[in-house]
Amino acid sequence: MTISKLGVLGGGTMGAGIAQVGAQSGLQVTLVDIDDSVLERALAGMNKSWGKAESRGKLSSDDITGFRNNITVSTDTAAFKDCDLVIEAIIEDLDIKKKVFAELNEICAPDTVLATNTSGFSITEIGAASGRPNKVVGMHFFNPVPVMKLVEVIPGVETDEEAVNLAMTTCKVIGKNAIKVRELPGFVVNRILVPYLNDAAIAYQEGVASVEEIDEAMKLGANMPIGPLALCDLIGIDVLLLVIEYFHKEFGDPKFRPALALKQKVRAGHLGVKTGRGFYDYSK
């Protein structure tokens, strides 16, 4: 299978990034979100990124015009009807994803592959809810999408080889390195990363060291580019808590017990960078 028309559902940070790299790679991209203002911000972010690249001599004005012409935006999912592949990049809520995939099944052509950008939920469960489990696959991108090279491609129990091949081919077209991953909660990266971040939050709640000291320790002692608690803030503490709670439920292993510190931050509305306060205060 080949890819020429790409659909992206969700105009937030991840969806906008996926749409951007698709357009830059010459694909015709349809970006859909229920909120016009989200689509406007997505396009503004792309234009800002391209403008910076032009100022550094990496893109021409003709390049940017071509990229813009490759993108169509809409608030109606019916715009996906002629796409070869639709990638969902909405809120990390399993029930909402299952509902959306059932709706996409009614809209898209029978051979359209539906992919989810979930960071850890069951592809099999989403596929079963869709009505076309053989055409549902996981494509887990990393933030920021235009910069990060990895995509985890995850088949569900019933995903056929054509769907997997189209996902792998699409990654190659848009300049990403894809790895095929067995379906287990968290896949590869988050299976390793999320417990690390949760343990950092537990160390903080136990008073092992301050927020700044924990982050400094991991940057200088383990050569991490960013401290774990700063990364929690960047990801979104609410998102992180959802994922670690899912791990705890699925594996039934106490090592995935969510840190109380994460729960307290979420209860207080201190979700990280996006709310101006998390482990750090970004309002200053």
Side-chain angles (χ1 to χ4, degrees), residues 1 83-87 109-115 132 134-137 139 160 162-164 166-167:
M1 296 180 70
C83 289
D84 304 307
L85 169 68
V86 177
I87 301 174
D111 59 347
T112 298
V113 173
L114 306 179
R132 62 172 76 188
N134 61 316
K135 294 299 178 187
V136 173
V137 64
M139 291 181 70
D160 64 31
E162 281 193 350
V164 174
L166 182 62

Side-chain angles (χ1 to χ4, degrees), residues 94 120-122 185 242-251:
L94 183 58
F121 289 145
S122 169
L242 279 172
V243 175
I244 195 67
E245 286 178 335
Y246 182 71
F247 285 10
H248 194 225
K249 174 186 172 185
E250 288 291 297
F251 289 112

Side-chain angles (χ1 to χ4, degrees), residues 76-275:
D76 187 355
T77 51
F80 291 141
K81 64 182 183 297
D82 60 349
C83 289
D84 304 307
L85 169 68
V86 177
I87 301 174
E88 164 271 316
I90 62 171
I91 185 172
E92 195 72 342
D93 182 302
L94 183 58
D95 290 335
I96 293 175
K97 288 181 187 293
K98 287 161 66 174
K99 180 181 177 182
V100 163
F101 272 73
E103 292 171 354
L104 291 174
N105 182 51
E106 297 298 318
I107 292 165
C108 297
D111 59 347
T112 298
V113 173
L114 306 179
T116 175
N117 183 51
T118 181
S119 59
F121 289 145
S122 169
I123 309 305
T124 299
E125 187 170 351
I126 294 170
S130 75
R132 62 172 76 188
N134 61 316
K135 294 299 178 187
V136 173
V137 64
M139 291 181 70
H140 181 215
F141 290 77
F142 293 83
N143 188 32
V145 176
V147 175
M148 301 295 279
K149 287 293 186 181
L150 182 67
V151 178
E152 294 174 317
V153 174
I154 313 98
V157 168
E158 296 193 47
T159 308
D160 64 31
E161 280 302 310
E162 281 193 350
V164 174
N165 290 340
L166 182 62
M168 299 291 282
T169 296
T170 300
C171 291
K172 185 175 182 179
V173 168
I174 63 178
K176 301 300 180 186
N177 296 334
I179 59 170
K180 186 177 175 181
V181 179
R182 182 183 173 196
E183 184 195 29
L184 284 170
F187 315 133
V188 172
V189 173
N190 282 335
R191 174 69 178 274
I192 297 168
L193 177 63
V194 169
Y196 159 66
L197 299 179
N198 189 56
D199 279 346
I202 291 172
Y204 164 71
Q205 80 187 28
E206 291 178 348
V208 172
S210 69
V211 169
E212 293 80 5
E213 288 167 334
I214 290 169
D215 279 358
E216 194 77 351
M218 294 311 297
K219 286 192 291 183
L220 299 183
N223 204 29
M224 296 294 186
I226 182 173
L229 299 178
L231 185 54
C232 290
D233 282 355
L234 185 62
I235 292 169
I237 297 172
D238 54 335
V239 173
L240 179 63
L241 181 59
L242 279 172
V243 175
I244 195 67
E245 286 178 335
Y246 182 71
F247 285 10
H248 194 225
K249 174 186 172 185
E250 288 291 297
F251 289 112
D253 190 325
K255 76 177 181 180
F256 296 114
R257 176 176 54 87
L260 180 59
L262 298 178
K263 294 182 179 181
Q264 289 174 330
K265 293 291 184 185
V266 171
R267 289 167 184 160
H270 301 163
L271 309 183
V273 174
K274 61 187 174 186
T275 60

